[in-house]
């Protein structure tokens, strides 16, 4: 048995900000994917995934029936028969490994599910987001539901605010574009929950709250608008500011060995780094106007290009 594929995602802009109503832009990233599967001879990985699914089933039994109803019986039977999530999506890397799993379970076991073939009204998108938020909270403690939404629909999602999200198109990529968005592998697994705790702790300070509103959210919103309009010049100006704000105020979310590299990008303008997901490890997102120069400058690291300008 092998189910349909669900892809990883990249939140280009909006990490942490969307908790406080900034704009956000999330795009599917087809390089990684996962599917529900059963095997005759499961690997250690598969057995571990199956155990996690078993715990997830118990959690789903208690989800509010007004929100979503699952065919729990079939799901429990399939898990008992050894079903697992076969995934190439790295865990703890900020590219939505649990989101793809949540999308796969909803797709296969939810009753009266909303599908991508329907006219996706704002109400339907918000309903899906609420369902996915509840489901994914099992993995993260508190989830916005955006990762599974992106994975489930496989289309870019524009977050205008908590209650206003829409499917969106992004500018076509030029074949000869020198500029790029890339992923830089930190080589460290990041954990979401501790990073979110640090953020929530910081939110208790007034100074941090006003920095978030006056700087972080301001530049994030501008980046989203620039990206969607295809205004590359303005986008890089705002990304540079965003990169500075993150370096100054989100230091715990940036692995120590990357502080200098981060600063170097801002000083040389060869690339600008930002958090990918909650940070603490995993991937770091980079923006550059010249990918060849950035590759030279970051030659000790593994880069993956995800979008060209």
């Amino acid at each position: 048995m092998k189910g349909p594929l669900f892809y990883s995602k990249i939140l280009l802009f909006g990490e942490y900000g969307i908790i406080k109503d900034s704009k956000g832009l999330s795009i599917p990233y087809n390089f990684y994917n996962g599917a529900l599967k059963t095997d005759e001879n499961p690997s250690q990985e598969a057995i571990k995934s199956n155990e996690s699914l078993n715990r997830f089933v118990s959690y789903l039994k208690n989800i509010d029936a007004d929100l979503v109803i699952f065919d729990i019986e079939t799901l429990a039977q399939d898990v008992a028969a050894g079903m697992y999530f076969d995934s190439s999506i790295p865990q703890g890397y900020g590219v939505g490994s649990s989101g793809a799993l949540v999308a796969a379970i909803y797709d296969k076991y939810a009753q009266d599910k909303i599908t991508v073939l329907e006219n996706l009204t704002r109400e339907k998108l918000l309903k899906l987001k609420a369902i996915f938020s509840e489901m994914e909270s099992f993995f993260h403690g508190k989830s916005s539901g955006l990762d599974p939404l992106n994975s489930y629909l496989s289309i870019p999602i524009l977050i205008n605010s908590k209650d206003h999200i829409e499917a969106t198109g992004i500018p076509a990529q030029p074949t000869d574009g020198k500029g790029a968005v890339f992923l830089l592998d930190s080589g460290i697994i990041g954990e979401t929950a501790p990073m979110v705790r640090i953020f929530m702790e910081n939110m208790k300070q007034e100074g941090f709250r006003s920095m978030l509103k006056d700087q972080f959210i301001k530049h994030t919103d501008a980046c989203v608008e620039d990206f969607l309009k295809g205004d590359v010049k303005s986008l890089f100006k705002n990304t540079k500011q965003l990169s500075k704000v993150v370096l100054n105020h989100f230091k715990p979310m940036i692995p120590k060995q990357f502080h200098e590299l981060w600063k170097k990008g801002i000083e040389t303008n060869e690339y600008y780094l930002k958090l990918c997901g909650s940070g603490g490890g995993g991937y770091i997102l980079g923006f550059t106007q010249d990918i060849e120069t950035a590759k030279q400058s970051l030659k000790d690291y593994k880069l993956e290009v995800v979008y060209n300008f």
Side-chain angles (χ1 to χ4, degrees), residues 49-249:
S49 166
N50 174 261
E51 286 165 0
S52 166
L53 272 182
N54 208 4
R55 292 191 296 274
F56 193 33
V57 174
S58 309
Y59 173 82
L60 292 179
K61 281 179 185 163
N62 301 316
I63 272 192
D64 183 356
D66 288 340
L67 191 62
V68 61
I69 296 173
F70 292 101
D71 180 354
I72 287 284
E73 211 170 303
T74 311
L75 172 57
Q77 279 166 6
D78 289 348
V79 172
M83 183 175 77
Y84 67 99
F85 191 59
D86 181 30
S87 166
S88 65
I89 307 170
Q91 291 186 350
Y93 262 66
V95 285
S97 54
S98 59
L101 165 59
V102 164
I105 295 282
Y106 176 83
D107 179 62
K108 189 160 191 223
Y109 299 99
Q111 297 179 350
D112 301 325
K113 65 179 187 189
I114 297 167
T115 76
V116 69
L117 304 169
E118 299 171 32
N119 172 18
L120 288 169
T121 59
R122 187 170 138 191
E123 281 66 36
K124 283 181 186 167
L125 282 173
L126 285 172
K127 169 114 201 237
L128 269 176
K129 183 174 175 284
I131 292 168
F132 290 149
S133 166
E134 272 302 300
M135 289 174 74
E136 203 185 27
S137 292
F138 169 77
F139 299 97
H140 290 323
K142 185 176 179 355
S143 156
S144 68
L146 279 167
D147 288 5
L149 186 65
N150 212 290
S151 189
Y152 182 64
L153 299 174
S154 238
I155 44 181
I157 305 283
L158 169 64
I159 302 110
N160 291 300
S161 66
K162 272 200 198 72
D163 307 321
H164 185 189
I165 55 176
E166 55 187 305
T168 187
I170 55 176
Q173 305 184 48
T175 41
D176 56 350
K178 278 170 70 175
V181 181
F182 60 87
L183 292 174
L184 182 142
D185 189 344
S186 74
I188 304 160
I189 290 178
E191 280 191 60
T192 300
M195 295 296 128
V196 174
R197 270 203 303 276
I198 293 171
F199 174 77
M200 289 313 206
E201 210 37 54
N202 286 342
M203 282 301 289
K204 292 175 182 170
Q205 303 159 21
E206 195 177 331
F208 188 85
R209 285 199 305 272
S210 40
M211 171 282 301
L212 197 77
K213 187 165 131 285
D214 303 338
Q215 296 175 47
F216 188 83
I217 290 178
K218 183 180 119 188
H219 296 309
T220 296
D221 288 0
C223 284
V224 171
E225 281 161 29
D226 291 342
F227 187 90
L228 291 175
K229 281 202 306 247
D231 187 342
V232 176
K233 197 174 163 202
S234 180
L235 173 67
F236 278 96
K237 206 175 84 203
N238 282 306
T239 307
K240 179 177 187 173
Q241 293 309 322
L242 192 55
S243 185
K244 274 186 192 165
V245 172
V246 173
L247 183 61
N248 291 334
H249 300 282

